[in-house]
Structures are given as C-alpha cells and as structure tokens.
Amino acid sequence: MFSGPAVRLFLTFLLVSGAVSRAEDWPVYAHDNRRSGVTAERLDLPLDRVWTFESPAPPATAWTGPAKWDSYSGNAGLQSMRNFDPVFFVTAVSGRVYFGSSVDHSAHCLDAATGERLWVFPTGAPVRFPPSVQQGRAWFGSDDGFVYCTGAALGDLVWKLRAAPSPRLIPSNGGLISPWPVRTGVLLDRGRALFAASLLPWEPSYLYAADAATGAFEGDGLFRAELSDVTLQGAMLASASNLYAPQGRSAPLTYDLQTGAAGGIIPDAGGVFCILTEDDQLVAGPADQKSPEDVVRLSDAKSNQKLVSFSGASRILVDGPTAWLHRAGNLQAIDRAAIIRLTPERDALAAKKDRDSDENARLAQLEELIRACVLWEEPAPDPFGFILAGGVLIAGLENAVRAVDAASGRTLWEAPVPGRAYGLAAAEGRLFVSTDRGHICCFATP
C-alpha cells in the first residue's frame, strides 16, 4: 500500500493526468455552439440559494410580444416568435458569472461564489445575450451595432468592431439603437468570432467571421457577407461545417461555416428556440406566428427535410438517442432514434386514402411502436427553461426551479425563485437561475 509521500505523489499524478474529474464551465449561451443545454457538470443536491442579483428593472425585451392581429394576412391570435431575451441569460467560467443587460446596456461580471460585482462594461444600447468566454477573454454584441472583446477577469477593452455599416441610430423602446443591432450573440469557432448585424428584411444584413483575437475580418476563414431579405435574430448555432441562423418569424437559414456561403433554409421551422443535435438534427419551434406555440420539430440539418413533429411540446433536450420534452401536461423521456425511424412510414400510411387491410394493420402496429417509444412519463408543469446537468433535468417553472432524475422522472429537489425561470446554467457545482423579473439566483451545496 502507498503511504506518506507516495500517496501525495500518486494523488498529484491523478490530478495532472486528468483522472480526477474537474468541474465544467458554461462558457457560451446554452452551454455550447449547438445550444444543447446539456452539461456533464453534476450538482450535489439538495442546493441552497446562496446569493441573488436583482436588477433595478425587469429585462427590456427587444420585442414586446406579437401583434394582436395581422391585417394584411387576416390573422389573429398570433404568438411571439422572437422572445430570445426574456431574462438575463448567463455564462459561467472560472469562478465568474457573466451576463448582458437590456436595462443598463452593459455587460456584467459577478463573483460566482458571492454574487459580488467584479466589473461592468457599458455599451451604447441593450446587450441581449451573455458574453461568450474563452481563454481569458469575453465577446458580446450590443444593439448599438458594435461587437466588443474584453478581458474576462477585469473587463478591459481588447477591441471593438462596428458591425453596422454606418453610425446611424433609430428610436426603439424609448431609446436609440442601430438599424443593424447585434442580436445573435457571438459564436466562437477555431479562433474566430461569428455574429450578425441585422434587424429588418428590407435593409441589408451583415454576417461576420472575425479574428477573435483582433476583430479583423479579412484573411483565411474570415469574412463579412452582405445578405438581403433576412432578419438574423436569436443565438446562432454551429456544426462542424455549417452555421445556422434563426430568424424568428421566418425559417432558420444555413451558411457554410468556413466561407459564409448561403445554404438554404430549414423548412417547417421557425422561432428562436433552436437546438442542433450531435448527429446534425435541428430542433426548432413552429414555422409561423399562427401555428400553435406548443409544437417542436426535428429536421435533418444536412438535407433540410423534416423528420418528426411533437404536438403539444414546448421545450426539448437531446442527449444521444434519448430526448426529454414536456408535452400535454407531462414530462417525458423518449427513444428519439426509434421514433424518427418509425415516423416517416407511419405518416405515409396515415396520409394514404385507400388503405387495404394489411396497410391498416401495419399502421396500427406502427402507432403502437411509437407509443412504446415513451420511456417514462410524469405529470409536470410546463417549463420555461430546461437543461440537463450530469443526468439530472433542471426545469425552470413559474416561481420555482425543479430537479428531476433523467432516468426515471422522479423529482429530486425544488426551490422557489421570483418569476418565470427561463434562464438556467450549471457550472462548478452551482446552478444559476435567471427570471423575467431581472433576478439571477445562485444555488449551491450548503
């Protein structure tokens, strides 16, 4: 057996070699460039609230909600398709928490353990998404049309780039913004910072891949693409080869990640709530304002073809072959791989008008097999926020946050929070909950 110095030497070897697990960061919006909301970080339940940041006012969202009616199309009862900033979403890296504010038009950094403000970086307009943090730097965009890079520790300016083509400003929500606000967040990829300046489809939009270290956009793999008839708003996503840009009321767009070349649209999809799975399936909301809000669709992001729709669903998480979603008053775990394999044949048979007896029997069999794809189901409120942390589902609810075992659906822990908990992040043993009242609550092990 080891003893004394030998034990210390062995433990040092484990730490250096990585055999001892390290806490995981939450460096970008929704954890990663796929916006998966999935992290290996484990939370030691139960948790206590250890601090709360309170904004002097609730978030001033970019869009106040849907129009009550559309006189041109004759539509009524429309839903919001651009609710990308209902709370101050956070990122968390190396003992610090970062968020952008639509109230004081600044990027903020807090001490993750105490909630103490470490720095504030003011911009000229609202900051809609949290800074993306990597290698000691933080990148964020603003409605003033600029993208900023600062030091992550002190908030000192490294560079700023005017993504808008001119310094012109327009009135918006009682203030002034650029006609080309940066409302996509900043996506980091192989030393590049990707973002877009966009607002109105009748104005040109600009898609950038800039050098993350300098802000330059000329060189290998760097570009500034002028686009027409688009409105890029909501966090962009990336696979190994493609960039995906939500538009809200219109279908998400695809671009070549290396060149910025347009690759078409993802049909039958819309909104700003999007996830890209590891096998390149794009999860998105309804395709238009009049569609029911509780519809989630999976599409093949390579072929742009729809795979399956989940009616009655509002939020979904995907990890490998399993997906978790809230549907019709229940939280469910489903076999995603099986349901995608079975659904096309079921839909084709269901659409056929003159089925023979064999086809009717096969359709009934497929319906039964699809029902069997539900691995478990438990009654639960509709979540506003939804993440997976170390095998535990975290659901942001109305005035509460709840932890549920991902394998069984059993509730493990619940705590009150003030308001609707849209924003969730887990890092270094802490859970951060952002609500629509402008609060950020930190929970940790007592």
Side-chain angles (χ1 to χ4, degrees):
M1 295 180 64
F2 293 119
S3 63
V7 171
R8 289 192 293 272
L9 180 62
F10 179 64
L11 290 176
T12 300
F13 167 77
L14 290 177
L15 288 167
V16 172
S17 66
V20 175
S21 63
R22 298 179 60 191
E24 188 169 332
D25 291 327
W26 192 280
V28 297
Y29 170 77
H31 183 264
D32 48 59
N33 286 350
R34 295 183 293 108
R35 314 306 180 191
S36 70
V38 176
T39 175
E41 177 68 17
R42 292 189 175 273
L43 300 172
D44 189 9
L45 303 173
L47 305 175
D48 282 353
R49 194 196 302 192
V50 294
W51 57 260
T52 300
F53 168 87
E54 297 185 27
S55 170
T61 56
W63 304 96
T64 56
K68 299 303 180 185
W69 57 282
D70 182 340
S71 60
Y72 181 80
S73 302
N75 290 341
L78 304 179
Q79 62 165 294
S80 175
M81 301 288 284
R82 294 175 176 168
N83 56 336
F84 50 79
D85 58 344
V87 300
F88 305 141
F89 291 101
V90 309
T91 50
V93 175
S94 300
R96 300 182 183 93
V97 181
Y98 304 85
F99 66 94
S101 172
S102 53
V103 174
D104 65 10
H105 303 177
S106 300
H108 293 248
C109 176
L110 309 178
D111 185 291
T114 65
E116 176 188 0
R117 182 181 283 110
L118 299 179
W119 56 259
V120 178
F121 188 98
T123 74
V127 179
R128 304 290 177 185
F129 282 94
S132 299
V133 183
Q134 187 179 91
Q135 297 179 341
R137 291 187 176 180
W139 293 261
F140 51 93
S142 169
D143 278 8
D144 64 7
F146 282 85
V147 169
Y148 300 84
C149 173
T150 71
L154 300 177
D156 49 310
L157 180 65
V158 178
W159 58 260
K160 74 174 184 177
L161 166 68
R162 191 178 72 196
S166 85
R168 181 163 64 97
L169 299 175
I170 58 174
S172 175
N173 295 335
L176 294 174
I177 67 169
S178 170
W180 299 273
V182 178
R183 293 178 171 176
T184 58
V186 177
L187 186 149
L188 302 175
D189 174 75
R190 289 166 284 191
R192 302 178 302 159
L194 292 101
F195 48 88
S198 179
L199 180 64
L200 302 169
W202 54 85
E203 292 274 6
S205 296
Y206 299 89
L207 178 66
Y208 286 82
D211 186 301
T214 66
F217 53 86
E218 294 180 352
D220 186 31
L222 307 178
F223 56 80
R224 175 185 183 267
E226 183 174 318
L227 312 172
S228 59
D229 301 319
V230 301
T231 173
L232 309 183
Q233 298 187 62
M236 296 193 301
L237 310 88
S239 67
S241 58
N242 287 331
L243 184 71
Y244 301 87
Q247 294 195 90
R249 295 180 184 176
S250 300
L253 299 167
T254 67
Y255 298 94
D256 185 277
L257 186 59
Q258 193 64 23
T259 66
I265 67 169
I266 304 292
D268 300 314
V272 291
F273 171 72
C274 297
I275 292 173
L276 187 67
T277 68
E278 290 179 334
D279 49 355
D280 286 346
Q281 292 173 8
L282 186 75
V283 182
D288 56 65
Q289 286 184 289
K290 201 172 183 181
S291 297
E293 190 167 7
D294 52 351
V295 175
V296 173
R297 294 179 172 88
L298 274 74
S299 301
D300 187 323
K302 295 177 180 177
S303 66
N304 296 350
Q305 297 300 307
K306 185 178 76 173
L307 298 173
V308 64
S309 294
F310 297 106
S311 298
S314 56
R315 290 289 185 268
I316 188 169
L317 290 169
V318 176
D319 189 29
T322 306
W324 296 265
L325 66 156
H326 187 274
R327 182 164 50 167
N330 293 292
L331 191 60
Q332 297 179 337
I334 62 171
D335 185 334
R336 176 177 64 102
I339 204 168
I340 289 173
R341 185 178 67 252
L342 297 166
T343 296
E345 183 182 359
R346 189 275 309 271
D347 289 350
L349 281 175
K352 191 174 182 180
K353 293 182 178 179
D354 300 316
R355 293 188 297 269
D356 58 29
S357 58
D358 288 343
E359 289 171 328
N360 282 327
R362 176 57 178 166
L363 180 59
Q365 180 187 37
L366 288 168
E367 295 284 9
E368 182 63 28
L369 290 171
I370 288 173
R371 283 192 291 272
C373 290
V374 177
L375 306 176
W376 57 256
E377 183 176 68
E378 293 290 339
D382 194 356
F384 298 100
F386 204 25
I387 66 171
L388 177 66
V392 175
L393 299 169
I394 309 294
L397 309 175
E398 183 93 39
N399 298 317
V401 59
R402 177 182 295 180
V404 175
D405 180 53
S408 67
R410 178 172 59 92
T411 296
L412 303 173
W413 168 80
E414 185 168 330
V417 294
R420 294 181 171 181
Y422 285 94
L424 301 168
E428 299 179 301
R430 302 181 182 95
L431 173 66
F432 303 97
V433 183
S434 303
T435 77
D436 62 351
R437 295 187 189 177
H439 291 61
I440 300 172
C441 305
C442 174
F443 294 86
T445 303

